[in-house]
């Protein structure tokens, strides 16, 4: 079995997935890091996923994202953290849904914006990082994430450890 964590940028998907992988002795897969690795292997150039989007364009990034998802589709025993935009593309959604139970790590827009300000504003918000814009995009994505999820956890006021605890409770692990 795999476990897939989805949610908005800065909700804690990767950190929670890493914590779960350690606790459950499963492989941790951060989809954005896998994309960076594939990019490095094919271009012999190390770039952060944001830099890949900026230099190659979002369509190129989306193609890489889908290719990596197709590559990992046969794996088992992994905790997978796709980027926040991955579930928005139908071709990715089909792969994610086959991987295993999906847990939506839900965080309020206000908390997300606080985390983003500390961590770095994502490219899709760079032109307008206002709370109004975050809320607008959050509402659009919340519907997709909620529809896909087997379970949802509001981790707005939880630590990574508490979020991992809750995922394990929901999945009876």
């Amino acid at each position: 079995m795999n476990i897939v964590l989805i949610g908005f940028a800065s909700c804690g998907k990767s950190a929670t997935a890493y914590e779960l992988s350690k606790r459950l002795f499963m492989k941790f897969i951060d989809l954005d890091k896998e994309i960076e690795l594939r990019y490095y292997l094919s271009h012999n150039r190390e770039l952060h996923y944001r830099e890949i989007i900026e230099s190659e364009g979002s369509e190129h990034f989306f193609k890489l994202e889908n290719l990596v998802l197709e590559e990992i589709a046969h794996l088992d025993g992994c905790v997978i953290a796709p980027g926040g935009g991955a579930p928005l593309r139908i071709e990715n959604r089909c792969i994610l849904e086959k991987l295993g139970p999906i847990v939506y790590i839900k965080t309020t827009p206000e908390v997300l914006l606080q985390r983003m300000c500390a961590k770095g504003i994502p490219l899709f918000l760079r032109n307008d990082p206002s709370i109004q814009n975050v809320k607008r995009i959050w509402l659009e994505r919340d519907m997709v994430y909620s529809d896909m999820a087997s379970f949802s956890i509001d981790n707005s006021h939880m630590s990574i450890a508490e979020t991992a605890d809750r995922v394990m409770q929901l999945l009876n692990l």
Side-chain angles (χ1 to χ4, degrees):
M1 166 180 104
N2 296 305
I3 301 168
V4 180
L5 304 183
I6 62 171
F8 209 88
S10 296
C11 72
K13 293 180 302 288
S14 294
T16 302
Y18 179 70
E19 178 69 19
L20 286 167
S21 72
K22 288 190 314 186
R23 291 182 186 192
L24 300 170
F25 304 100
M26 296 172 77
K27 181 179 172 139
F28 166 58
I29 298 177
D30 181 315
L31 201 61
D32 289 336
K33 295 295 179 203
E34 293 295 320
I35 292 166
E36 291 170 4
L37 176 61
R38 297 314 184 285
Y39 186 86
Y40 174 76
L41 293 173
S42 64
H43 292 79
N44 200 27
R45 186 171 166 214
E46 198 170 311
L47 290 180
H48 186 272
Y49 73 92
R50 290 180 183 185
E51 295 171 314
I52 296 170
I53 295 168
E54 288 175 330
S55 71
E56 303 288 338
S58 57
E59 278 308 309
H60 181 76
F61 179 82
F62 295 144
K63 285 179 186 173
L64 281 174
E65 183 178 63
N66 185 257
L67 283 172
V68 172
L69 274 172
E70 288 177 356
E71 286 177 18
I72 68 169
H74 70 280
L75 298 178
D76 195 29
C78 302
V79 185
I80 302 161
L88 304 179
R89 302 179 69 80
I90 290 173
E91 61 271 22
N92 294 343
R93 216 176 297 161
C94 294
I95 298 169
L96 290 167
E97 288 172 340
K98 291 177 186 171
L99 284 170
I102 297 175
V103 181
Y104 172 19
I105 307 296
K106 190 172 186 169
T107 311
T108 65
E110 294 79 11
V111 171
L112 289 168
L113 187 56
Q114 287 174 353
R115 292 177 185 174
M116 287 177 207
C117 287
K119 181 179 168 183
I121 300 294
L123 291 175
F124 68 92
L125 288 171
R126 198 167 275 167
N127 292 333
D128 182 6
S130 67
I131 189 62
Q132 295 81 9
N133 195 37
V134 172
K135 285 180 179 178
R136 181 186 62 76
I137 296 169
W138 184 91
L139 284 171
E140 294 168 4
R141 292 184 177 200
D142 179 61
M143 288 190 305
V144 173
Y145 299 153
S146 294
D147 285 347
M148 285 184 70
S150 310
F151 304 98
S152 293
I153 297 169
D154 184 337
N155 78 334
S156 299
H157 304 288
M158 290 182 179
S159 68
I160 295 303
E162 291 168 328
T163 305
D165 289 341
R166 187 73 182 117
V167 171
M168 291 176 68
Q169 286 173 345
L170 289 170
L171 297 176
N172 294 315
L173 300 172

